[in-house]
Amino acid sequence: MTTTRQAAEVVIGEVHTALLQHSSAVSATTGASLLALTSGERVRRSERPIAYAVSPAQLTGVDCDLPAAVGTGRRTRLAPVRAVGTVTSRAVLTGGHVLQGSAYARVVADGERRRMPWSHYLARPGVLELIGKSGGLDVAGGHLHSTEPQTGLLDLGAIGNRTIDTVQASRDIDRAAPFKSARTGLRWSASEGGAFEFRLVDDRHRTVRLPRVVADAEAAAVLCEDIALHDWLLTTLLSLVSRAPAGRAGRRQVVERLAPALDYLLHLWMPAARVDAALAPVWRGLEQRPGLTRQWQTNVDRVRDQLALAVIEASGHRS
C-alpha cells in the first residue's frame, strides 16, 4: 500500500456525549433553537422513531500536528505529522435529553507537500491535508492511540466539547438536570482494511476502529455518534444501578435512585435507527462483542424487578 493511498482512506473523529442541562425533555422547537449554531442554516430534525435534531455543520480551520503511529507491535511509537485544513463539527440532540458534540475530518495526502493559501483548504471543507514526509505513518492508529490531549496536537475532543458547552450555555435551558451523569468521549477512525474494534479505555473514554466500507465520512460519523449515544445510555444506567442501595430496608431509596432510568433513559435505546444500511453490519458486530444490548437488557430487567418489589411491598404495607 502506498503512502498516498493509505492517507486518502482515513477518516478520524471524536464524539462527546452528555445530558442536556434541563429539567425536562425540550420540545422540537426549543431543540431546533438550541442547535441553530450557524445563522441562516437549517437544523435538520425528525420525530420518528424518536426525536432527533442535528445542527448545521461548522468548520474549524487548523494548522497543527496529527499523532501518527510508526512501526508495529511493541515497537510502535507516535510521531507528529503536520496537517492543514478544516474540521467538521456539529451538535446532535436525541430525545430532547441527550446532547452530543461531534467533530471529524478526512485526512488525505497533499500531492504538493507544501503549505497552500487558506482559500485552497476552505474549498475542501472537512478535509485535512498532510504536509511533509508521511511515508510509513499510520494516522488512524495514531489517532486512536493518543487518547489524552497533547500540546501542539490536533484535539478533536476539544472541538466537540466546545460545541456541547455552547448549547449548554443557552438561555433556553434552565441548567437543572434531572439527575447526575458523567460526560463520555468516543474517539474513532475509519481506514482501509482491518476489522471493527471497540475498546473501553477507562470509565469515560472509548475508542472505535472502523473498516472503510463506505466513502462517506458523514455516514461513519453518524454511526459513531449512534455508538457513543448508546454507550452513554448504558454507562449512565450502570451508574444509577450501582448507586442504588441494596436490601429491603433501602427500598424507598432504590426507587428514588432508579426512577430517572424509567423517566429519561429506557425509551431512548434504539440501536442503528439512523445508521446507513452499508454500516449496519458494524452494529451487528458490536452486539456480538461486547454485547451492549445484552448488558443493557440485563440491567433494565434489574431496574424493573427492583421497582416491582417496591410496589409489592408498598401494597402489602397498605393492606
Side-chain angles (χ1 to χ4, degrees):
M1 180 181 293
T2 66
T3 301
T4 300
R5 177 173 174 76
Q6 188 275 342
E9 296 295 333
V10 174
V11 183
I12 58 175
E14 190 159 344
V15 190
H16 285 252
T17 309
L19 183 68
L20 183 68
Q21 297 299 293
H22 194 65
S23 54
S24 62
V26 298
S27 67
T29 301
T30 300
S33 176
L34 291 172
L35 270 55
L37 304 179
T38 304
S39 178
E41 296 288 336
R42 183 176 64 90
V43 173
R44 292 187 288 120
R45 61 184 186 181
S46 63
E47 295 297 320
R48 300 290 184 273
I50 197 168
Y52 175 83
V54 183
S55 75
Q58 295 185 300
L59 295 177
T60 301
V62 298
D63 182 347
C64 59
D65 288 338
L66 299 181
V70 182
T72 58
R74 295 183 178 181
R75 295 184 178 182
T76 301
R77 60 183 179 85
L78 293 181
V81 55
R82 187 182 178 189
V84 184
T86 58
V87 172
T88 301
S89 63
R90 61 189 189 175
V92 182
L93 184 63
T94 303
H97 275 302
V98 185
L99 177 63
Q100 294 179 290
S102 177
Y104 60 95
R106 273 199 319 125
V107 182
V108 301
D110 177 12
E112 298 297 325
R113 291 191 176 181
R114 61 187 179 87
R115 177 68 158 81
M116 302 292 288
W118 269 113
S119 57
H120 167 81
Y121 303 106
L122 293 176
R124 306 184 70 187
V127 174
L128 299 178
E129 296 185 3
L130 300 181
I131 296 178
K133 295 181 179 180
S134 57
L137 298 182
D138 177 7
V139 173
H143 176 65
L144 296 184
H145 188 275
S146 177
T147 55
E148 292 295 329
Q150 299 181 40
T151 302
L153 295 182
L154 176 65
D155 188 353
L156 294 179
I159 298 174
N161 275 319
R162 185 177 64 205
T163 302
I164 290 179
D165 293 340
T166 298
V167 176
Q168 299 281 36
S170 171
R171 295 181 179 179
D172 291 333
I173 58 177
D174 56 24
R175 279 172 284 282
F179 62 93
K180 292 183 179 180
S181 64
R183 189 178 296 194
T184 59
L186 183 146
R187 180 171 291 193
W188 61 273
S189 68
S191 58
E192 193 72 23
F196 172 80
E197 179 183 88
F198 177 87
R199 186 168 72 93
L200 297 174
V201 178
D202 55 37
D203 291 343
R204 299 186 182 183
H205 298 90
R206 293 84 171 91
T207 61
V208 165
R209 182 187 291 271
L210 299 174
R212 189 74 187 279
V213 295
V214 294
D216 187 2
E218 184 179 6
V222 170
L223 170 65
C224 291
E225 289 160 5
D226 195 54
I227 294 173
L229 167 67
H230 289 83
D231 174 74
W232 181 89
L233 289 171
L234 177 58
T235 300
T236 303
L237 179 63
L238 291 173
S239 177
L240 291 173
V241 169
S242 68
R243 294 202 299 262
R248 183 170 180 174
R251 196 70 69 192
R252 177 177 295 179
Q253 290 83 357
V254 169
V255 173
E256 292 175 352
R257 292 289 178 86
L258 296 181
L262 289 177
D263 294 338
Y264 305 106
L265 300 181
L266 300 195
H267 65 289
L268 298 179
W269 191 267
M270 295 185 184
R274 292 180 176 81
V275 171
D276 188 289
L279 291 171
V282 175
W283 246 114
R284 290 196 289 271
L286 187 65
E287 295 292 33
Q288 293 176 2
R289 184 179 295 180
L292 295 186
T293 296
R294 291 197 304 272
Q295 189 176 10
W296 170 264
Q297 191 58 54
T298 297
N299 283 276
V300 167
D301 292 342
R302 183 178 175 184
V303 168
R304 288 174 172 161
D305 289 345
Q306 290 289 334
L307 296 177
L309 285 173
V311 171
I312 292 171
E313 290 183 5
S315 299
H317 290 318
R318 286 196 295 271
S319 63

